Structures are given as structure tokens and as C-alpha cells.
Amino acid sequence: MHSKTILIVDDEAPVRDMLRIALEMADYRCLEAENAQAAHALVIDEKPDLILLDWMLPDVSGVELARRLKRDELTSSLPIIMLTAKGEEDHKIKALETGADDYITKPFSPRELVARLKAVLRRAGPSTPEEPLTAGGLVLDPISHRVTINGNPVDMGPTEFRLLTFFLSHQERAYTRTQLLDHVWGGNVYVEERTVDVHIRRLRKALTIDGHERYIQTVRGTGYRFSVQTVERV
């Protein structure tokens, strides 16, 4: 099993270096960001297992970034440990109220950091993205990278496969083209929104076996959703 990935968000390079060394010695894989914008892009692209998030950041505060991540359905379950020099009780309460899973006041020892991090990861529990995703007769197996409809193999490109994976993981909810670009193409990829429409058409064409293309529904004024509940497009 691969080691857990930790995203370190702090605007001070020496602090990031210290945290990275401590975590790598404990067999964690580390990513680094110096501000909230870079951190959010890494969350989307790399899907870390936990964030070590500094309270004070140069653009958007760590507390505000934590609040945004916890409000987003796609990142709401991502564990967050706040790091700050502020030890006052009201700051701790504010951090926890945003949804942070723990709070560590600087300075702290590497042993304390690793112990608290392990505890938060245990509470978060294991993720199981390896399990097949299904809807009606449609089955997507992320391990073998195969898609079938009622036992019949379905051919599609890698982007359509990622798009279908996202839809099957988030059924019955409408997403804008911008949201689909962020979560399927990635936060650091800059392409036009019309690109989404092109790949939606390709995905629908791939799913025409037994009429499964009807599950990919256009939501006027918003974008697209995947639904097995309503057969007609709206």
C-alpha cells in the first residue's frame, strides 16, 4: 500500500522544510504550497490524504481556505490540521468551527505532529476508490480501467473515462462546466468551457448501448448531471 500524501500549506519555506523532513522520516509523501490558491490547485489535482494548514497565509487565510474546502461536497471529507502560533482559546474554537479536524500550536515537536496526524488519519478512515462504480447496467471498474453496459464492453477515451468516473461518483447533482473542468481536467489546466461540451457528446456517443446516454442530462442554465431517475433531458 502506498504511503499517505500530506499537503503542507505555509508561506515560510523553512517551516515547510522542517515539516517535510519530519513527515518524510515517518514515511509520508509530501506536497507543498505557499498560498491558498496553490494549495487549492494541489487539492484538486493530487487529492492529498490530509492538509497541514497554516493559519496566516498571504492571500487568503488558512481559516478561510478550510471553510471553503469544507463547504465543497468534493473536498468536505478531506482532513485538515491547523497550524498556528496563536494559542488563545477563541482562535482554537474558530479553527475547529470551520471544520478543521485538529489544531496544533507552534512550536511543537515532530513526534507530537506525527502522532496527531496519525490520529486524524485513523478517524478519517480508509477510502475505497478501487470499488466498481455502477448505475443501472453500467459498470465502471477503476482497477482494470474497463467500462461495460449489461456485460458489453464500452470503448472511450481517457478524458471520457475520467468524466464518467466523476459522474458515477457524484450522481443526481448538477455541475457547471467550470466545476467539471476543475474536478475532471484539474485546477492547473486552462481550457475553454466548450471543451466540456465536446467530451460530453463523445461520452454520450460511447454510452448509446441500450440507451444509457440518457443518463447524461443537460441542465439548462447550469451544466450537466448524471441521473438514472429521470430519463428525459431537461
Side-chain angles (χ1 to χ4, degrees), residues 56-71:
M56 298 296 294
L57 293 174
D59 50 355
V60 176
S61 72
V63 170
E64 179 57 30
L65 176 59
R67 185 178 292 114
R68 293 179 184 179
L69 292 172
K70 292 299 183 178
R71 279 199 303 247

Side-chain angles (χ1 to χ4, degrees), residues 120-227:
V120 170
L121 286 172
R122 280 197 301 269
R123 293 199 299 269
S127 58
T128 55
E130 299 86 3
E131 295 181 0
L133 303 170
T134 63
L138 176 64
V139 178
L140 181 148
D141 188 338
I143 298 299
S144 64
H145 212 270
R146 290 193 179 98
V147 178
T148 59
I149 295 178
N150 296 327
N152 299 303
V154 178
D155 292 325
M156 63 181 64
T159 301
E160 288 73 45
F161 185 89
R162 293 197 305 272
L163 189 58
L164 181 59
T165 300
F166 178 82
F167 276 137
L168 286 171
S169 302
H170 304 89
Q171 299 182 37
E172 307 299 336
R173 175 173 174 175
Y175 290 93
T176 66
R177 291 168 177 82
T178 299
Q179 288 175 316
L180 291 173
L181 284 173
D182 283 345
H183 295 288
V184 177
W185 277 258
N188 283 321
V189 178
Y190 300 97
V191 294
E192 294 184 359
E193 290 188 355
R194 291 180 180 272
T195 301
V196 176
D197 300 328
V198 172
H199 288 283
I200 287 288
R201 287 197 296 270
R202 292 177 181 173
L203 180 57
R204 283 174 172 158
K205 184 176 181 181
L207 298 179
T208 53
I209 298 174
D210 296 335
H212 279 68
E213 76 278 6
R214 69 184 184 274
Y215 294 165
I216 309 291
Q217 300 167 5
T218 301
V219 181
R220 289 197 181 99
T222 302
Y224 299 97
R225 73 164 164 253
F226 187 98
S227 174

Side-chain angles (χ1 to χ4, degrees), residues 23-43:
L23 293 175
E24 287 179 346
M25 289 181 65
D27 199 30
Y28 290 102
R29 172 177 176 257
C30 294
L31 304 169
E32 298 181 35
E34 63 180 1
N35 56 53
Q37 182 178 1
H40 189 266
L42 283 171
V43 167

Side-chain angles (χ1 to χ4, degrees), residues 8 10 19 27-28 39 46 49 56 71 74 92 98 109-111 142 195 217 219:
I8 302 168
D10 196 299
L19 293 170
D27 199 30
Y28 290 102
E46 299 288 341
D49 296 290
M56 298 296 294
R71 279 199 303 247
L74 301 172
K92 295 181 181 180
T98 64
S109 70
R111 289 182 63 189
T195 301
Q217 300 167 5
V219 181

